[in-house]
Amino acid sequence: MIQKNNYILGIESSCDDTAAAVIHNGKVLSNVVATQKIHEEYGGVVPELASRAHQQNIVPVVQLALRKANIDKKQLNAIAFTSGPGLMGSLLVGTSFSKSLAIGLDIPLIDVNHMQAHILAHFIKEEEQTAPNFPFLALTISGGHTQIVTVSDYFKMEVIGQTIDDAVGEAFDKSAKTLGLPYPGGPLIDTYAQKGNPKAFKFPKPKVSPLDFSFSGLKTSFLYFIQKNVALNPQFISENIEDICASLQFTIVDYLMDKLKNAVKHTGIKEIAIGGGVSANSGIRKALKEAETKYGWKTHIPKFEYCTDNAAMIAIVGELKYKQGIFAESNVSANPRLKI
Ligand code: KG4
Ligand code: ZN
């Protein structure tokens, strides 16, 4: 029977973060993330190593989430887990673990789409964030995705624009690699960018259809720009790191904002929510805040810890589905290419 007063455990293992969280009536009681450091040495996520690390982390992470929430596992009403999209081996660890725990506790199992969860994280009850009103536009920007989605209800979403090649997070991470920065380089570019001049260097904005994105051209022109300048001055990167990062970030943020402006024009919807790891970026956060007065938009920026991969967003979707009685079949399986 569906309980009004419920405790939902969320489990996230789609990429390189093993995460577990407990939500009680929309509020986060615990939100634990074990980030896998092993990938830093390789300059990107190594799927095989990610699956192994999930296997090692998942039990301690879940136990810690329950302990921090100050509840016993027997008090849980349902288990929500990420079924996709993501890396197959990583997803399988969370999927199998969640199935076993749900059957052991004899409670419902709820499958969650990772990209929907990045959007629905806005419905977590927190002082620092407000829930968007339907319909709204969601810009999902992460290491694996770049999409503009119209959201007319919790589970009524339509992708109206997306990247035709790399995701925006990849553009950040690959450019950071060109600069010799460790993986993931997005947050490091952001840190340097905040001290630099965004107009110091100019990079071309890729041209594709109005609502779609492309980042591979920018990545390549950035690589050539760095190679050319390092050939002239071997100290070019270290002498200009702040200006280089500020200029790159300015170009990317401006490009994302151009696309949002096109989407607002196309749909007439002026309420916008962002989600995904790149929404932690200071440049996009500032540009969206400014858009409220500049264009009269209503914008929603998630609390920092709900931007990058986390299980609180999986648990809130779990709660929304639990209340509607939407549960997974017992033969549910991981789907690395799951669509919104
Ligand atoms: O959503 P997420 O944690 O994982 C995926 O589902 O991909 O996003 C990770 C991505 C990485 O590419 C990382 O570099 C980027 O988000 N990222 C940032 C920032 N924080 C995380 N990119 C730019 N600026 C940041 N502050
Ligand atoms: Zn993500």
Side-chain angles (χ1 to χ4, degrees), residues 12 14-17 85 114-115 118 141-145 167-173 183-191 194 249 275-284 304 307-310 313:
E12 155 65 31
S14 65
C15 190
D16 59 341
D17 293 306
H114 180 92
M115 295 314 294
H118 271 305
I141 38 180
S142 75
H145 293 86
V168 59
E170 273 181 281
F172 270 107
D173 296 339
Y183 176 85
L188 294 168
I189 291 195
D190 192 7
T191 306
Q194 289 176 52
Q249 182 157 307
V278 182
S279 45
N281 182 268
S282 65
I284 189 73
F304 219 66
C307 289
T308 43
D309 286 349
N310 67 88
M313 68 181 193

Side-chain angles (χ1 to χ4, degrees), residues 307-326:
C307 289
T308 43
D309 286 349
N310 67 88
M313 68 181 193
I314 306 303
I316 191 71
V317 179
E319 186 180 296
L320 292 166
K321 284 193 164 181
Y322 178 82
K323 284 185 186 155
Q324 296 187 27
I326 308 172

Side-chain angles (χ1 to χ4, degrees), residues 256-269:
L256 295 174
M257 291 303 289
D258 284 349
K259 298 296 173 173
L260 272 181
K261 279 183 245 172
N262 293 343
V264 169
K265 209 163 136 198
H266 179 78
T267 60
I269 301 171

Side-chain angles (χ1 to χ4, degrees), residues 78-145:
I79 294 169
F81 72 99
T82 306
S83 62
L87 300 169
M88 187 53 159
S90 292
L91 291 166
L92 281 176
V93 176
T95 305
S96 304
F97 176 86
S98 304
K99 279 188 174 195
S100 314
L101 189 58
I103 203 166
L105 294 170
D106 196 20
I107 54 175
L109 180 68
I110 298 165
D111 53 323
V112 174
N113 179 314
H114 180 92
M115 295 314 294
Q116 284 192 350
H118 271 305
I119 297 173
L120 298 174
H122 287 275
F123 292 92
I124 294 171
K125 287 190 188 131
E126 277 284 351
E127 270 174 30
E128 290 145 66
Q129 57 181 47
T130 49
N133 300 295
F134 299 115
F136 63 90
L137 288 174
L139 174 69
T140 56
I141 38 180
S142 75
H145 293 86

